[in-house]
């Protein structure tokens, strides 16, 4: 889950009618439900906004929705997947023809549709797991990255019927790979944590790579936790298939031309520290942890990055479509070109 | 297919034609038995007219101006006209061509020597609008001339000019009795279109626009009074221009503008009207970037773009295509325009674009093509030479820097040398990162699904 800062100061209903509805808080409380991913929580939060809004016309309603979406995006570090959900819902509201007796009926209908969609979307992970199952052979060695709910579901489902073993990358700095490790070993699946830097070392032992996604973009490429692009490049070099699992509400209209074209890329990332005089400052003393054995000798400290250093690093990266073999989604198993055709068809009209 | 005195073979060019004509031309020059106009058949009259025009051109060509003469004789694409035949045609006096300006005859003095073009002969040479069959509207004649001289160049400009000219034609059109507008206007327009095509091969944009126009004409209501029907058609033309070109360009300008950030170095090739609009718009929005304009001979269209950009104080660098390797590492994005976009995602654009795109791809620089949807062609194009166009040689285009006198610079009139200037080339979809259209940013692999997505049955 992206780190959230719940700021009460973000007034959601910034339109003139004063509503005691704070969209950010609704969103955060919705996210507490483990099953809901960011885009779904956004859709539900927006439907709640419709419920409590007193907009009288479609135009006002759409404006209120856009304001709410804007507030949500501003409240989190990584708004990409959340954005996908917002755009999908707003597109649904504006583009599809609705016929209702009156405007308030229309609003109720929209809310109902939103909730129905979210409920149905919870079954998407199962659909994807079943779909991917056909590609997992008995005795497969799988490499995965960081923690993803849909990948977990798929692996656990596969474990019911076949023998699999899993390598999972540590996924620094958040270390979510360790969470995957814990859950897999608890289920009895043989699992080993692999250093992020050891992916090419392990690649030749792997049958295929399976990753989740934050968003799938219009080019057919993938946005996922940082490190996915590296794994994809290594997989292609080693001729190992790279599969991405993505629910259809994660399909996004974004089209990044490069890593630095992502909305999450700020000027802070990968910047060189400069003192006000323009000289390079000496590096802040790296956090040093003395292990128990090394108290006597001064060599061999395990060094860790400081939080400031970590802040100079990206949280997500973009994987190009030509590196991805297949995208498994609730609408079927698609090639990256197929994904882009689907997204174009969904949004271009 | 040159328009010299090829007497019987006015048909499409073939190698055999080319070989025959020197003899026939020689024959024509010798058999100069004067006949009165009435006695000659139409073909012979035409042949005499052509001869006379050629003669007049030759006399003008061998006139005092050395630059002019090299310019005129420079039109010989198929190797040098043998000196003998030129002097032969000079011997004939000739009355001037009726009503056709001098410039056309330039191409006619090019004599087909024994050799034809080795490659690209399948789409022949540019030639002036020949004797027109049927009555061509003066606007169309003027337009044909402007096309053949590249006064109007560029896919958008040509399409808008064509449609505007057709508006005049439609307004001046009178339905003959016992005919309906929706049927007869089409037959009336055909020779006009043929005339334009003979001046310069039709661009995909013109083709799409004319197809839409024909659809509108054939769908026009029979019961409408004629003036109303004509006004409606002109209104439809205006809507087409406005919707699919002007407004589309504005949307593309906004969308592509979001891809430009402060501090970027944008590379562009030759001159695309859309890219010019994008850059100007982004600068007006307050983004501060610099531009590298890559240009190539013989057209040197980039100079025009350079002057527009520098007038706005945008920092620009100008270089020719061969030196692109030295700047590509400094470039953040490549923005190019397109002549047409094909179903397999390939982009047909000014010759040299493919090189720029492939070079950029090598260096991981994103290549963004700005293209309106009306430029989509449903065909698939796999290479640059099944369908291309040759530029006429000579001084029609912007002048190159004159270090030596023009005579020495123009390389024609040598028996073992052919000058080839294809105007377009094909950029494969693998070199393109994204295509910006008015319906959004599309990856090249999804181009074919655009019309479906828009619910259009035609492009």
């Amino acid at each position: 889950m992206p780190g959230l800062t719940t700021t009460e100061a973000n007034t959601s209903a910034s339109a003139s009618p004063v509503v005691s509805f704070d969209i950010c808080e609704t969103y955060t409380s919705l996210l507490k439900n483990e099953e809901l991913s960011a885009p779904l929580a956004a859709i539900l939060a927006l439907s709640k906004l419709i419920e409590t809004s007193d907009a009288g016309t479609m135009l006002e309603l759409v404006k209120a929705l856009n304001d709410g979406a804007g507030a949500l995006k501003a409240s989190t570090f990584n708004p990409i997947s959340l954005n996908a959900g917002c755009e999908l819902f707003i597109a649904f509201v504006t583009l599809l023809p609705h016929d209702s007796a009156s405007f308030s009926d229309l609003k109720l209908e929209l809310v109902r549709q939103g909730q129905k969609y979210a409920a149905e979307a919870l079954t998407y992970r199962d659909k994807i797991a079943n779909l991917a199952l056909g590609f997992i052979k008995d005795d497969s060695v799988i490499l995965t990255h960081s923690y993803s709910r849909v990948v977990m579901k798929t692996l656990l489902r596969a474990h019911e019927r076949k023998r699999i073993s899993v390598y999972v990358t540590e996924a620094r700095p958040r270390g979510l790979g360790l969470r995957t490790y814990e859950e897999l070993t608890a289920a009895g699946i043989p699992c080993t944590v692999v250093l992020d830097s050891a992916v090419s070392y392990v690649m030749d032992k792997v049958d295929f790579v399976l990753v989740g996604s934050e968003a799938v973009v219009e080019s057919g490429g993938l946005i996922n936790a940082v490190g996915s692009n590296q794994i994809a490049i290594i997989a292609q070099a080693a001729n190992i298939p790279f599969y991405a699992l993505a629910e259809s509400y994660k399909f996004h209209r974004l089209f990044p031309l490069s890593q630095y074209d992502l909305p999450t890329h700020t000027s802070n990332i990968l910047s060189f520290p400069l003192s006000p005089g323009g000289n390079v400052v000496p590096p802040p003393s790296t956090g040093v942890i003395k292990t128990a054995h090394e108290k006597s000798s001064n060599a061999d400290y395990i060094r860790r990055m400081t939080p400031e250093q970590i802040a100079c690093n990206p949280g997500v990266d973009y994987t190009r479509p030509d590196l991805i073999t297949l995208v498994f989604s609730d609408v079927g198993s698609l090639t990256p070109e197929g994904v882009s055709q689907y997204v174009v068809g969904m949004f271009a009209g | 297919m040159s328009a010299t005195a090829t007497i019987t073979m006015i048909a499409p060019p073939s190698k055999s034609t080319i070989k025959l004509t020197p003899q026939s031309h020689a024959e024509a020059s010798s058999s100069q038995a004067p006949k009165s106009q009435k006695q000659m058949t139409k073909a012979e009259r035409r042949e005499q007219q052509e001869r006379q025009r050629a003669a007049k051109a030759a006399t003008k060509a061998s006139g005092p101006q050395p630059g002019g003469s090299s310019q005129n004789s420079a039109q010989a694409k198929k190797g040098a006209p043998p000196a003998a035949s030129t002097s032969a045609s000079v011997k004939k006096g000739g009355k001037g061509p009726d009503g056709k300006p001098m410039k056309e005859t330039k191409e006619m003095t090019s004599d087909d020597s024994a050799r034809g073009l080795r490659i690209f002969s399948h789409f022949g040479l540019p030639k002036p609008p020949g004797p027109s069959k049927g009555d061509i509207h003066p606007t169309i004649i003027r337009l044909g001339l402007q096309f053949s001289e590249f006064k109007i160049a560029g896919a958008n400009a040509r399409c808008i000019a064509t449609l505007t000219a057709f508006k005049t034609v439609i307004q001046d059109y009178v339905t003959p009795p016992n005919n309906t507008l929706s049927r007869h206007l089409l037959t009336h327009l055909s020779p006009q279109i043929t005339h334009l095509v003979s001046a310069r091969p039709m661009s995909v944009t013109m083709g799409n626009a004319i197809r839409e126009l024909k659809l509108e004409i054939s769908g026009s209501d029979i019961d409408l009074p004629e003036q109303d029907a004509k006004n409606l058609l002109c209104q439809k033309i205006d809507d087409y221009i406005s919707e699919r070109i002007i407004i589309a360009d504005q949307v593309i300008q906004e969308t592509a503008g979001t891809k430009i950030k402060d501090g970027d170095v944008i590379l562009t090739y030759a001159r695309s009207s859309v890219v010019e609009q994008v850059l100007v718009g982004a600068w007006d929005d307050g983004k501060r970037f610099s531009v590298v304009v890559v240009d190539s001979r013989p057209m040197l269209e980039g100079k025009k773009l350079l002057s527009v950009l520098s007038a706005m104080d945008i920092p620009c660098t100008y270089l020719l295509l061969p030196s692109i390797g030295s700047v590509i590492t400094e470039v953040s994005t490549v923005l190019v325009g397109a002549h047409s976009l094909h179903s397999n995602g390939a982009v047909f654009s000014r010759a040299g674009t493919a090189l720029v795109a492939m070079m950029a791809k090598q260096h991981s620089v994103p290549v963004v093509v700005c293209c309106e949807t009306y430029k989509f062609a449903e065909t698939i194009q796999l290479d640059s030479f099944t369908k291309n166009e040759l530029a006429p040689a000579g001084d029609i285009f912007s002048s190159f820097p004159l270090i030596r006198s023009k005579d020495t610079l123009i390389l024609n009139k040598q028996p073992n040398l052919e000058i080839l200037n294809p105007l377009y080339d094909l950029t494969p979809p693998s070199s393109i990162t994204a295509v910006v259209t008015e319906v959004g940013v599309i990856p090249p692999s999804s181009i074919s699904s655009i019309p479906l997505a828009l619910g259009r049955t035609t492009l």
Side-chain angles (χ1 to χ4, degrees):
Chain A
M1 285 188 279
L4 291 169
T5 48
T6 43
T7 45
E8 296 282 350
N10 277 327
T11 47
S12 60
S14 48
S16 31
V18 175
V19 183
S20 57
F21 170 72
D22 185 350
I23 192 164
C24 298
E25 204 180 324
T26 318
Y27 175 73
T28 330
S29 57
L30 281 167
L31 270 184
K32 291 205 178 73
N33 179 356
E34 276 286 323
E35 283 292 302
L36 280 181
S37 57
L40 286 180
I43 292 179
L44 284 174
L46 285 177
S47 2
K48 206 121 205 313
L49 185 137
I50 295 187
E51 220 178 291
T52 56
S53 143
D54 61 352
T57 64
M58 196 55 154
L59 197 62
E60 280 178 37
L61 185 64
V62 172
K63 183 176 183 311
L65 282 174
N66 279 320
D67 291 339
L72 281 178
K73 277 181 246 184
S75 72
T76 157
F77 288 133
N78 179 10
I80 298 184
S81 55
L82 149 72
N83 211 1
C86 291
E87 282 203 6
L88 184 60
F89 190 67
I90 296 179
F92 167 68
V93 168
T94 50
L95 290 178
L96 290 187
H98 308 281
D99 38 34
S100 301
S102 73
F103 193 68
S104 44
D105 278 348
L106 176 64
K107 283 202 282 187
L108 287 173
E109 176 68 19
L110 288 174
V111 172
R112 208 175 57 79
Q113 291 274 11
Q115 285 164 345
K116 189 171 127 192
Y117 181 79
E120 196 180 315
L122 289 175
T123 64
Y124 286 169
R125 291 206 190 109
D126 292 303
K127 264 195 204 171
I128 295 174
N130 287 331
L131 196 56
L133 211 53
F135 287 79
I136 303 179
K137 296 198 194 60
D138 200 22
D139 238 357
S140 299
V141 178
I142 304 171
L143 174 66
T144 186
H145 181 60
S146 187
Y147 179 81
S148 160
R149 280 166 290 207
V150 62
V151 171
M152 282 307 301
K153 212 167 218 154
T154 312
L155 293 175
L156 293 172
R157 184 71 56 88
H159 180 63
E160 290 164 17
R161 296 174 179 68
K162 314 182 191 199
R163 290 167 292 198
I164 54 169
S165 36
V166 179
Y167 288 112
V168 59
T169 53
E170 186 191 2
R172 296 214 54 225
R174 299 178 64 207
L176 283 175
L178 295 167
R179 183 174 165 192
T180 310
Y181 169 78
E182 281 157 13
E183 291 190 19
L184 286 178
T185 37
I189 302 177
C191 180
T192 301
V193 182
V194 160
L195 291 170
D196 294 331
S197 27
V199 170
S200 60
Y201 200 97
V202 80
M203 190 53 80
D204 285 325
K205 283 188 175 248
V206 167
D207 289 325
F208 61 89
V209 182
L210 201 60
V211 299
S213 62
E214 292 250 351
V216 175
V217 290
E218 200 160 0
S219 59
L222 192 72
I223 297 187
N224 199 16
V226 62
S228 319
N229 192 28
Q230 262 164 235
I231 298 178
I233 294 174
I234 297 172
Q236 196 195 46
N239 285 320
I240 305 281
F242 183 93
Y243 299 130
L245 304 178
E247 302 93 314
S248 61
Y249 50 78
K250 286 185 175 159
F251 289 6
H252 200 303
R253 249 217 121 161
L254 198 62
F255 197 127
L257 296 176
S258 67
Q259 303 291 350
Y260 317 117
D261 200 20
L262 286 174
T264 47
H265 183 78
T266 60
S267 53
N268 193 32
I269 293 179
L270 302 178
S271 61
F272 293 109
L274 287 177
S275 73
N279 302 319
V280 178
V281 292
S285 54
T286 50
V288 167
I289 299 172
K290 290 192 190 147
T291 64
H293 326 302
E294 270 95 336
K295 270 203 189 128
S296 46
S297 67
N298 284 337
D300 298 330
Y301 292 129
I302 296 181
R303 298 172 184 275
R304 293 271 152 80
M305 286 166 84
T306 63
E308 298 86 33
Q309 288 177 317
I310 292 179
C312 286
N313 279 276
V316 293
D317 65 16
Y318 167 64
T319 307
R320 283 190 338 259
D322 52 300
L323 300 170
I324 303 170
T325 317
L326 282 179
V327 175
F328 294 119
S329 169
D330 45 280
V331 297
S333 43
L334 304 166
T335 58
E337 292 85 20
V339 166
S340 61
Q341 292 195 357
Y342 179 84
V343 175
V344 164
M346 200 160 69
F347 283 117
Chain B
M1 48 352 7
S2 72
T4 43
T6 46
I7 296 114
T8 48
M9 317 238 177
I10 310 186
S14 62
K15 285 253 163 79
S16 53
T17 316
I18 295 161
K19 291 198 179 86
L20 272 175
T21 44
Q23 291 112 6
S24 38
H25 192 245
E27 274 178 306
S29 53
S30 47
S31 62
Q32 184 65 326
K35 286 182 183 179
S36 80
Q37 292 272 1
K38 285 186 214 134
Q39 288 171 339
M40 293 196 263
T41 64
K42 191 170 179 187
E44 287 169 286
R45 249 181 281 143
R46 180 175 296 154
E47 150 207 333
Q48 189 191 45
Q49 207 179 43
E50 307 250 2
R51 253 182 282 136
Q52 284 160 352
R53 255 186 241 137
K56 177 133 188 229
T59 40
K60 278 248 168 96
S62 49
Q65 225 186 0
S69 79
S70 53
Q71 180 188 21
N72 285 334
S73 50
Q75 298 324 304
K77 278 299 279 291
K78 295 186 181 177
S85 69
T86 323
S87 51
S89 45
V90 171
K91 282 184 198 131
K92 296 175 274 189
K95 55 180 190 189
D98 355 321
K100 296 265 173 150
M102 259 319 296
K103 287 224 164 169
E104 281 176 57
T105 63
K106 275 192 293 201
E107 274 81 3
M108 292 195 221
T109 57
S110 72
D111 200 59
D112 350 29
S113 56
R115 282 167 57 255
L117 285 177
R118 294 284 154 89
I119 58 176
F120 289 148
S121 59
H122 55 282
F123 37 75
L125 281 180
K127 59 188 194 322
S132 38
K133 304 174 192 176
D135 47 282
I136 310 289
H137 196 279
T139 329
I140 301 288
I141 295 182
R142 178 165 21 130
L143 195 62
L145 270 176
Q146 287 175 317
F147 280 176
S148 64
E149 292 175 14
F150 285 79
K151 292 280 187 289
I152 299 183
N156 281 348
R158 283 210 280 164
C159 181
I160 294 181
T162 313
L163 287 177
T164 318
F166 277 146
K167 275 204 307 189
T168 324
V169 173
I170 289 177
Q171 286 294 1
D172 287 349
Y173 166 75
V174 174
T175 320
N178 300 330
N179 253 314
T180 53
L181 180 121
S182 55
R183 277 181 226 139
H184 189 258
L185 182 55
L186 286 172
T187 46
H188 177 78
L189 281 179
S190 296
Q192 326 277 347
I193 297 173
T194 320
H195 181 92
L196 286 179
V197 170
S198 69
R200 215 188 133 184
M202 195 147 70
S203 62
V204 168
T205 49
M206 280 165 64
N208 285 345
I210 291 176
R211 201 181 319 135
E212 278 292 314
L213 179 63
K214 286 188 176 172
L215 198 65
E216 290 295 339
I217 293 175
S218 58
S220 72
D221 194 355
I222 295 186
D223 296 324
L224 273 180
E226 181 169 323
Q227 190 55 43
D228 286 351
K230 292 201 281 191
N231 289 345
L232 186 65
L233 283 174
C234 289
Q235 181 61 42
K236 290 257 167 69
I237 291 180
D238 282 333
D239 287 342
Y240 187 86
I241 295 180
S242 149
E243 208 178 273
R244 304 203 67 183
I245 308 181
I246 313 283
I247 295 187
D249 280 349
Q250 284 169 359
V251 177
I252 292 176
Q253 177 188 321
E254 283 166 22
T255 319
T258 60
K259 294 295 179 197
I260 301 179
K261 300 180 191 48
D262 285 334
D264 272 356
V265 178
I266 314 278
L267 185 138
T268 183
Y269 178 74
R271 179 182 175 269
S272 161
S273 49
V274 192
V275 172
E276 184 180 309
Q277 227 176 322
V278 169
L279 293 174
V280 166
W283 188 266
D284 281 339
D285 279 342
K287 302 207 177 148
R288 290 299 171 255
F289 50 89
S290 60
V291 177
V292 176
V293 179
V294 180
D295 208 358
S296 74
R297 286 203 47 216
M299 295 200 68
L300 289 177
E301 293 165 310
K303 288 192 175 183
K304 203 161 154 214
L305 175 65
L306 184 66
S307 63
V308 169
L309 294 179
S310 346
M312 299 191 55
D313 292 331
I314 302 180
C316 292
T317 309
Y318 178 85
L319 47 96
L320 293 179
L321 188 59
S323 30
I324 193 177
S326 33
V327 291
I328 193 72
T329 46
E330 311 284 329
V331 173
S332 28
T333 324
V334 172
L335 268 184
V336 292
H339 171 93
S340 66
L341 200 47
H342 295 268
S343 301
N344 59 329
V347 167
F348 204 56
S349 187
R350 179 64 73 224
T353 314
L355 291 173
V356 172
M358 290 193 255
M359 180 68 103
K361 182 77 189 210
Q362 263 314 96
H363 292 264
S364 308
V365 177
V367 176
V368 177
V369 177
C370 300
C371 179
E372 304 88 340
T373 54
Y374 87 110
K375 283 180 177 164
F376 286 24
E378 264 170 353
T379 55
I380 291 183
Q381 195 126 357
L382 299 171
D383 55 50
S384 309
F385 55 83
T386 36
K387 180 176 170 259
N388 206 331
E389 191 185 329
L390 290 177
D395 222 22
I396 298 184
F397 311 116
S398 344
S399 54
F400 36 84
L402 288 177
I403 317 169
R404 302 165 284 178
S405 79
K406 273 195 184 172
D407 282 358
T408 55
L409 285 172
I410 297 181
L411 292 165
N412 296 338
K413 303 212 288 189
Q414 295 184 29
N416 289 321
L417 184 63
E418 276 174 19
I419 315 286
L420 274 178
N421 276 320
L423 278 174
Y424 299 109
D425 70 8
L426 193 82
T427 309
S430 50
S431 306
I432 301 168
T433 316
V435 177
V436 179
T437 65
E438 70 264 26
V439 297
V441 184
I442 321 277
S445 49
S446 310
I447 299 294
S448 48
S449 56
I450 296 291
L452 275 168
L454 298 172
R456 290 205 181 111
T457 46
T458 59
L459 294 164

